[in-house]
Amino acid sequence: MSRPYVTAVVVAHDGGRWLTETLRGLAGQSRRPDRVAGADNGSRDGSADLMAQVLGGGNVLRLPRSTGFGEAVAEVLDKLPPSGPDEWIWLLHDDCLPDRRALESLLTAAEQDPKAAVLGPKLRDWLDRRRLAEVGVTVDRTGRRDTGLEPREFDQGQHDGTREVLSVSTAGMLVRRDVWEAVGGLDPFLPIFRDDLDLCWRVRNAGHRVLAVTPAVAWHAEAAARRRRRITVSGDHPRRLDRRNGIFVVMANLPFRAMLWALVRNVVGSALRALLFLVSKQPANALDELLALGSVLGHPFRLLAARRRRRAGRKKRYRQVRRLMSPPGASYRRLLDMVQGFLAGEGPVDSAGRHHAFAADDEAQIAPEEPGAVKRLAGRPGVLLVAALTVVALVAQRSLLGGGRLGGGALVPVTGGARDLWTFYTEGFHDVGLGSTEWAPPYVAVMAALATLALGKTWLAVSVLLLGAVPLAGASAYLATRRIIPAVPARIWLAATYALLPVATGAIAAGRLGTAVVFVLLPVYAALGVNLLSGERRRARRAGWGLGLLLAVGTAFVPLVYPLFAVLGVLAAVAYGGVRKGVFTSMAIALAVPVALLFPWLAGLVADPGRILLEAGLHDASSSDSALGPESLLSFSPGGPGVPPFWVTAGLVATALAALLVRRQRMIVAIGWGVALYGVLAGILVSRLGADGARAWPGVPLAFAATGLLVLVGLSAHRLAELRAAGGVRKAAAPLVAAVAFSTPLLAAGHWMATGVRGPLTGDAPEALPALAAVTAEEGERVLLVRGAAFTLLSGRMPLLGEAELPVASEARAKVAAAAAGLIAGRGGKDAATLAQHGVAMVAVAPPVSPDLVAALDSQPSLNRMSLSESGGLWGLTEPVTPVAAQPESALHRPWLWTQGALALLVLVMAAPGRRESGQESAEPVAPAPAGA
């Protein structure tokens, strides 16, 4: 028989503390391997250099830190061509020291049993080298690992003897190369834990044998399982990862009927174990147990694909596999041990084998754990910034918290749930006001989707968007500028200053939900615009789709966003189109997507251009200033309630002016000031115009302007060093500029917290419609709600978001308005009859109730007072009421809704990130190394 050819593969990952002994043991083998190659998975402790020094630089493959063990072995073998039909692969971990005769003993056992394709040594503990770690491994039907050893069992020869087992560890595993390639090697989905069990199970299903060879000995530190080093192939806790992989391997390799029974046992067993963990105050263990099961069951297609790949021989060989698995009663005994441990006060320790617990005296060898995910997250500057802005917002909005209903200003008192909003958006005829077949405002669909995510609670979605606008805008600005402004302090300043602009505080005070949403999205527009103009072609195209989708969302809330951005987008495309290919196409996509998604509603805006200036919500003339002074424009203050005085944010302009002192980056200064002037001019124009009797609010244009200057200052922040080095006036100006810059967000936050929210928005909006009217009104009847000199038609309930903005036929509206005005003025005549013909059955007066108005209504012979108190009054019409008749919906309504949904889904898919490149470092070809090098 020819001499077998052995290829040894050593895989290292931060294993320098063990690797020296491992390589020494490899070099001292009595039967040396014929070639040796190594793979280093991004070690940071010099393991790669150590292997290169011993094995030779050309024999070590350097891979990314996230590479799993199986992937590393596959990469090495791809570089090493097979040497013949009798080649064996010897796998070694960096923390596995083989005995001098380990390889010789494994090859001897392989020669004695021709059917053996996988062989593994007896593993002892690295620290206490008399203690047994593994002599083959098996598993029960719930995926729990079983070594068959007692805790801290010493090796006295009681388990000696080569025998067939279900699995052996990859630490020291010897496997035939042809079998390895036939079964596909280690599954890359299992980068760590249970990859050995899965491989051996597939080898057995292929008709081969797996042997534990006790004359071959190796000492294994089990560094990953014992958390002696950090696991980087996954962010999950080792316990959760081990449990998930165990369930996955069993479910993927068992025949169908056995798999169904294993599924039931896993669900019930995991629930019981989680309960025991919770009762014994081990919530982390309970969470790991449940999330591990959920991770497998939550991806059924992945499990089905794995089962398809393993179907060969699965049913045929199951009888042989079953006798090697843990006895049926082992799982129940293990669960009983957990219960007994809990009753004894020890906590439900899972006795599932060495990968689930380690000795207390091993604690000293455990590598210091890095801060957990929560601690790392809480220590990040962006998180601290958002937390600080949240505290500022909560203090400033103290008067709005704890109320029954948010409303006032531009915000309709929030009522209804997600289902009501979806119904309103999708129905063809809206039984509100005078009745309408017009398209509902598209922002209703956005709010319905957000309310659905908020468990159907519209008030929660509105509260998060409006009251949380400041911290959300801060987070948006901080994250969106991470590629534009690399300096973290500059990004923090930019995000804090942007979040506390007068536009934000004014929008919250006046209940401007549309401006709040656009204010949060504006930094994302800027980031996507930069990617569109400067990214590589594929990335720029995705940015175009994403920008178009978010631009459609912003336009749905504030239609003015689209023309404002379109002008800047066209100018940018013209400027960059000749330099970068594909810019025109990407920008065209960004501008076309909102038109396609909002088409029916957008066509109505084109027919009535004045509505482009208005935003989502009610249009109250008292919430906008008739003319903005120069000091408001310089401080980017849109006027109205809730905006701070000039001196609070004037420092932003001063800081931007200081950027003119910087000699470099003239182009950035010009672009920043150009965007700012564009926004200010647009704000001046918008503030002079209006529609529907209300003057437009220039908050969004001024937010555009402020964004230009903030990005300019952020990009110029690192140039303060130039000012300090220049000498003279510039040197003296550097600390002054820094002080003025940081005073802006501090003053804005302090002023807002001190004064609170001053505006019409309230956290306890009253129920304007009397309860008697809501109960009495029948289908098709309306209630004329009078507020001072204004009126609203209600359909027996408070209006939902967007209902008050439905277009109404001008003729019918004029008739109702004239009749309502005459009725309020006590004119008499046919006013009540006109209202009754349009479905009005009752007249309600919202508080405060004017005595003159009461007298005027009481004087009307066609009105009958039903109730009157300080909370309002209600009168019923004695005239015959003609209910508002339902109108047939357009034949194109439903088809277009489906088309709109399909378009939105298409845009989401096109905007989603594509397949990422592997990012692996270029690997040098691996050449065979002399044995024992």
Side-chain angles (χ1 to χ4, degrees):
M1 184 176 181
S2 62
R3 182 177 186 269
Y5 189 92
V6 178
T7 298
V9 180
V10 184
V11 180
H13 174 72
D14 290 340
R17 58 198 299 194
W18 308 283
L19 185 58
T20 301
E21 286 194 62
T22 298
L23 295 176
R24 186 180 299 121
L26 176 62
Q29 289 296 299
S30 59
R31 197 295 195 186
R32 294 187 177 186
D34 298 280
R35 58 181 175 184
V36 180
D40 181 78
N41 296 344
S43 297
R44 296 175 179 173
D45 63 350
S47 296
D49 295 335
L50 178 59
M51 280 204 299
Q53 180 181 354
V54 175
L55 305 180
N59 303 314
V60 178
L61 197 64
R62 298 173 185 260
L63 300 170
R65 193 166 175 79
S66 59
T67 307
F69 181 83
E71 290 179 283
V73 175
E75 289 285 346
V76 171
L77 294 180
D78 285 344
K79 307 294 181 181
L80 300 176
S83 64
D86 196 20
E87 181 181 0
W88 293 80
I89 304 168
W90 194 26
L91 305 180
L92 288 175
H93 297 191
D94 54 6
D95 60 346
C96 176
L97 168 62
D99 179 66
R100 181 174 179 273
R101 296 187 178 275
L103 179 58
E104 180 183 351
S105 300
L106 291 172
L107 290 173
T108 300
E111 183 179 357
Q112 294 173 354
D113 189 346
K115 289 188 176 181
V118 175
L119 304 95
K122 173 170 61 177
L123 296 180
R124 292 179 183 169
D125 186 70
W126 183 282
L127 296 177
D128 188 347
R129 302 202 170 181
R130 301 169 300 167
R131 189 186 304 173
L132 284 170
E134 286 182 20
V135 189
V137 178
T138 186
V139 70
D140 64 18
R141 287 157 184 80
T142 61
R144 298 188 179 274
R145 194 171 185 273
D146 189 1
T147 62
L149 303 175
E150 296 295 330
R152 297 183 176 85
E153 183 175 349
F154 289 102
D155 184 11
Q156 298 174 336
Q158 67 273 32
H159 296 286
D160 282 359
T162 299
R163 60 181 177 274
E164 193 173 3
V165 294
L166 179 61
S167 171
V168 295
S169 171
T170 51
M173 175 188 288
L174 185 69
V175 54
R176 270 174 42 191
R177 180 160 186 171
D178 58 339
V179 175
W180 169 280
E181 294 177 348
V183 301
L186 294 168
D187 190 341
F189 176 68
L190 307 170
I192 190 172
F193 301 143
R194 311 306 181 93
D195 49 347
D196 46 11
L197 172 64
D198 179 66
L199 173 65
C200 292
W201 203 323
R202 286 183 281 125
V203 168
R204 295 197 60 87
N205 287 343
H208 306 285
R209 302 182 69 185
V210 178
L211 301 181
V213 183
T214 55
V217 179
W219 292 271
H220 192 200
E222 294 182 324
R226 300 189 185 188
R227 289 182 287 167
R228 290 174 174 169
R229 60 178 163 204
R230 187 182 174 204
I231 296 176
T232 58
V233 295
S234 174
D236 291 337
H237 191 279
R239 180 173 47 246
R240 183 187 309 171
L241 192 62
D242 181 41
R243 184 75 183 105
R244 184 204 71 176
N245 291 355
I247 298 174
F248 180 84
V249 169
V250 168
M251 301 288 285
N253 286 284
L254 283 175
F256 182 71
R257 290 185 180 179
M259 184 271 294
L260 292 180
W261 177 233
L263 173 63
V264 174
R265 291 182 59 177
N266 269 300
V267 172
V268 176
S270 293
L272 290 176
R273 285 184 175 85
L275 179 61
L276 287 174
F277 282 132
L278 287 175
V279 173
S280 60
K281 297 181 176 61
Q282 299 184 50
N285 291 2
L287 182 64
D288 288 337
E289 185 76 29
L290 296 177
L291 290 182
L293 179 63
S295 177
V296 176
L297 301 184
H299 298 84
F301 295 108
R302 184 172 63 194
L303 181 60
L304 289 174
R307 289 185 59 81
R308 280 196 300 270
R309 292 193 299 269
R310 292 163 173 80
R311 64 177 177 268
R314 179 169 54 203
K315 187 175 181 180
K316 179 180 179 181
R317 306 287 179 181
Y318 177 58
R319 179 175 297 180
Q320 301 174 10
V321 170
R322 184 172 56 184
R323 64 182 178 83
L324 296 174
M325 298 179 70
S326 295
S331 300
Y332 302 108
R333 288 195 298 271
R334 188 176 295 117
L335 184 60
L336 182 61
D337 290 342
M338 293 178 65
V339 176
Q340 290 176 345
F342 167 68
L343 295 177
E346 302 171 358
V349 178
D350 192 352
S351 58
R354 293 286 307 199
H355 278 326
H356 300 270
F358 47 87
D361 56 356
D362 292 342
E363 292 280 356
Q365 297 296 324
I366 298 176
E369 289 192 8
E370 297 186 10
V374 175
K375 290 184 178 180
R376 291 198 305 271
L377 184 65
R380 292 180 178 176
V383 176
L384 296 176
L385 168 69
V386 174
L389 291 175
T390 302
V391 172
V392 170
L394 290 175
V395 173
Q397 298 167 3
R398 53 191 177 273
S399 61
L400 303 177
L401 304 177
R405 182 185 293 107
L406 195 65
L411 181 66
V412 175
V414 182
T415 59
R419 177 178 296 180
D420 300 315
L421 293 181
W422 283 121
T423 300
F424 169 50
Y425 183 73
T426 57
E427 62 189 1
F429 171 73
H430 308 291
D431 189 20
V432 295
L434 296 173
S436 176
T437 57
E438 298 290 334
W439 284 86
Y443 79 87
V444 174
V446 179
M447 292 306 304
L450 294 176
T452 302
L453 295 178
L455 304 179
K457 303 182 185 300
T458 304
W459 66 266
L460 180 58
V462 172
S463 299
V464 170
L465 287 178
L466 185 59
L467 303 185
V470 166
L472 287 176
S476 173
Y478 182 82
L479 294 175
T481 54
R482 67 184 183 274
R483 295 183 183 274
I484 304 173
I485 303 173
V488 174
R491 285 168 55 203
I492 291 177
W493 171 85
L494 181 149
T497 305
Y498 177 80
L500 294 167
L501 285 174
V503 175
T505 57
I508 294 172
R512 299 184 184 275
L513 180 63
T515 298
V517 172
V518 172
F519 190 71
V520 174
L521 292 178
L522 198 54
V524 186
Y525 293 164
L528 291 175
V530 170
N531 287 340
L532 188 152
L533 297 174
S534 61
E536 56 91 16
R537 192 167 184 176
R538 184 179 301 176
R539 182 179 176 188
R541 194 61 50 82
R542 288 199 303 267
W545 287 103
L547 180 57
L549 179 62
L550 294 181
L551 191 58
V553 173
T555 304
F557 282 92
V558 184
L560 185 61
V561 168
Y562 187 81
L564 284 175
F565 181 85
V567 173
L568 291 177
V570 171
L571 292 176
V574 171
Y576 284 86
V579 180
R580 302 188 66 87
K581 294 182 179 179
V583 168
F584 284 110
T585 304
S586 299
M587 187 61 70
I589 290 173
L591 296 178
V593 166
V595 177
L597 292 179
L598 308 177
F599 170 67
W601 174 79
L602 215 54
L605 291 184
V606 175
D608 187 7
R611 290 167 52 201
I612 296 178
L613 302 175
L614 304 179
E615 61 180 280
L618 304 176
H619 310 132
D620 187 2
S622 62
S623 297
S624 302
D625 289 345
S626 58
L628 293 178
E631 70 283 354
S632 297
L633 296 174
L634 288 176
S635 60
F636 305 105
S637 176
V643 298
F646 164 76
W647 52 267
V648 172
T649 53
L652 172 59
V653 178
T655 308
L657 289 172
L660 298 174
L661 300 176
V662 179
R663 294 177 179 176
R664 302 180 185 178
Q665 295 183 324
R666 296 296 185 186
M667 181 61 69
I668 294 177
V669 172
I671 293 175
W673 273 104
V675 173
L677 292 177
Y678 167 71
V680 169
L681 292 175
I684 295 174
L685 179 62
V686 168
S687 65
R688 300 297 193 271
L689 302 175
D692 293 343
R695 191 171 296 275
W697 198 63
V700 170
L702 293 181
F704 266 80
T707 302
L709 289 192
L710 284 169
V711 174
L712 161 63
V713 175
L715 289 173
S716 304
H718 66 287
R719 297 297 181 183
L720 285 176
E722 291 184 7
L723 296 179
R724 289 196 300 267
V729 178
R730 297 190 180 206
K731 182 177 181 179
L736 179 62
V737 169
V740 171
F742 279 95
S743 70
T744 302
L746 294 176
L747 288 175
H751 182 271
W752 196 33
M753 288 191 293
T755 59
V757 176
R758 298 175 302 169
L761 184 68
T762 176
D764 196 12
E767 183 74 43
L769 184 67
L772 180 60
V775 174
T776 308
E778 298 181 2
E779 185 176 356
E781 293 184 348
R782 300 292 184 260
V783 178
L784 181 70
L785 179 63
V786 179
R787 292 176 178 270
F791 72 91
T792 305
L793 282 182
L794 301 179
S795 56
R797 58 169 175 78
M798 292 295 290
L800 300 173
L801 291 175
E803 285 187 344
E805 301 155 61
L806 284 173
V808 181
S810 57
E811 182 180 353
R813 181 175 183 177
K815 287 182 179 181
V816 173
L823 197 68
I824 295 172
R827 183 174 58 193
K830 298 182 179 180
D831 293 330
T834 302
L835 293 176
Q837 291 173 2
H838 289 85
V840 178
M842 287 168 280
V843 177
V845 178
V849 182
S850 168
D852 295 337
L853 179 58
V854 172
L857 296 177
D858 283 340
S859 66
Q860 298 290 332
S862 298
L863 294 180
N864 178 33
R865 184 197 295 181
M866 301 174 64
S867 67
L868 181 63
S869 65
E870 293 182 356
S871 60
L874 182 66
W875 284 260
L877 271 71
T878 59
E879 298 283 345
V881 177
T882 304
V884 176
Q887 304 172 32
E889 67 177 31
S890 170
L892 298 178
H893 184 80
R894 295 290 171 180
W896 180 251
L897 281 177
W898 286 104
T899 303
Q900 194 177 53
L903 287 174
L905 181 61
L906 173 64
V907 174
L908 276 173
V909 172
M910 298 301 294
R915 181 182 63 85
R916 293 187 177 182
E917 298 297 328
S918 62
Q920 294 182 357
E921 302 172 17
S922 57
E924 299 176 0
V926 181

